[in-house]
Amino acid sequence: MKNKAWLVALAVIGVSVSGPMVKWSLACGASPVMVAFGRMLISAAILFIPALHSGELMAVLRAPRRQLLLACAAGLLLAMHYASWMTSMSYASTFVSTALVCTQPLFVAALSGVLLHEPIKREAIPGAVVAVIGAAAIGLLSMNGEHGSLVGDILALVGAMFIAGHWLCGRAARRDLPAIGYMTFVYGVTALCLLAMAPFTGGFAVTIPSLGGILVLALVCTLGGHALMTYLLGFVSADVVSFALLGEPIGAAVWALVLFGEQVTLPLLIGGITVIVGLAMYTYGEMLAARREARK
């Protein structure tokens, strides 16, 4: 674990750059959907050769129809996540938007309860309540003009809901599919979905300066962040990864302050920290529940 600790830290730094780089690309004149399209296209293109050479991509393409449909659904939901969350960055601060989109574990729990009949564990309920209180506080503050945006808050939460659906579909689709082949396929589907959405969601606006931000998003955030976290799940526990990812909003706020001088008002900062604390409590509660069930 000690040998992998620096990789976990590196992955957290990678994902925390995502929000600021999205905001940078948008400020340079690119549309949110085209920023996401470029990110996914570059990521899929980089993974394509190793996935094809290793035979992993063909293994995915030869998978049963149900798994392919689930993988396609995962790609579509990922596209909708990026479209809503990246659009939220045009309205809300980087910290608030990132903190709200990180509530996706709560949506995973809610959807699992409805679709899979897996109710939330009682140990995790207090954390979920605290996180919801923090999110509600952010919404109320935004309504009262606390330098926030209710539209941005809602879009970030919608993005959290879509990414939760993405993970649930992915969990079902990836049971016996190789990681690189699966990621290549899903990223490709996501890119195609985003390209189809572009005419209806801001057009094909991309500028030369924005390409730098899009490249960073693909290399640092997707491959150096999320893909690295996926790789690390083979060496460290999912609990470690879950807790580490809670550092993303804080890292995003620091990067936004350094790069753009973006500041967050104290009430919104408290609301965001409340969300993060609630998510930490929720994750810890899930861990306790897992240990309780393992002892049975």
Side-chain angles (χ1 to χ4, degrees):
M1 169 60 194
K2 290 182 179 179
N3 294 333
K4 304 296 181 182
W6 69 275
L7 286 177
V8 174
L10 191 64
V12 172
I13 292 172
V15 296
S16 69
V17 176
S18 182
M21 283 299 100
V22 170
K23 186 149 285 192
W24 167 272
S25 301
L26 297 178
C28 290
S31 68
V33 169
M34 289 307 292
V35 172
F37 167 72
R39 174 180 183 171
M40 289 292 96
L41 182 65
I42 294 170
S43 300
I46 292 173
L47 292 174
F48 179 76
I49 297 300
L52 187 65
H53 182 71
S54 64
E56 291 193 10
L57 183 57
M58 293 307 299
V60 173
L61 294 175
R62 293 182 183 130
R65 183 179 177 185
R66 181 177 180 274
Q67 282 183 289
L68 276 178
L69 289 175
L70 284 168
C72 288
L76 173 61
L77 289 166
L78 185 58
M80 296 172 77
H81 157 72
Y82 279 132
S84 52
W85 173 60
M86 289 188 179
T87 302
S88 80
M89 300 291 286
S90 299
Y91 300 93
S93 70
T94 304
F95 173 69
V96 167
S97 178
T98 307
L100 290 177
V101 85
C102 281
T103 59
Q104 57 94 6
L106 304 184
F107 286 97
V108 170
L111 290 172
S112 295
V114 173
L115 300 177
L116 305 177
H117 305 292
E118 297 176 358
I120 184 173
K121 306 298 188 297
R122 66 173 183 268
E123 292 91 340
I125 291 176
V129 171
V130 171
V132 169
I133 290 173
I138 289 173
L140 290 172
L141 290 167
S142 297
M143 289 176 65
N144 293 327
E146 190 65 50
H147 300 287
S149 166
L150 185 60
V151 172
D153 298 344
I154 292 173
L155 284 170
L157 289 172
V158 169
M161 180 182 67
F162 283 136
I163 195 67
H166 162 78
W167 289 124
L168 285 174
C169 287
R171 188 174 76 179
R174 252 221 73 198
R175 284 175 182 166
D176 55 359
L177 296 180
I180 294 179
Y182 172 79
M183 284 189 290
T184 305
F185 180 82
V186 170
Y187 290 171
V189 171
T190 301
L192 289 174
C193 291
L194 288 163
L195 188 62
M197 293 163 58
F200 313 101
T201 52
F204 300 95
V206 178
T207 63
I208 297 299
S210 70
L211 292 177
I214 293 171
L215 188 62
V216 171
L217 284 166
L219 298 180
V220 177
C221 306
T222 298
L223 299 180
H226 292 288
L228 180 56
M229 281 293 189
T230 301
Y231 163 77
L232 288 170
L233 284 173
F235 302 92
V236 300
S237 71
D239 297 328
V240 171
V241 171
S242 298
F243 270 110
L245 284 174
L246 293 177
E248 180 181 353
I250 302 298
V254 172
W255 281 112
L257 178 63
V258 171
L259 294 174
F260 317 119
E262 182 181 281
Q263 298 183 0
V264 184
T265 63
L266 183 59
L268 284 175
L269 181 64
I270 293 173
I273 291 175
T274 302
V275 171
I276 297 169
V277 170
L279 292 173
M281 292 171 59
Y282 172 85
T283 303
Y284 184 65
E286 286 281 322
M287 290 170 55
L288 292 178
R291 292 172 186 170
R292 170 174 56 82
E293 292 177 356
R295 289 196 295 267
K296 289 182 179 179

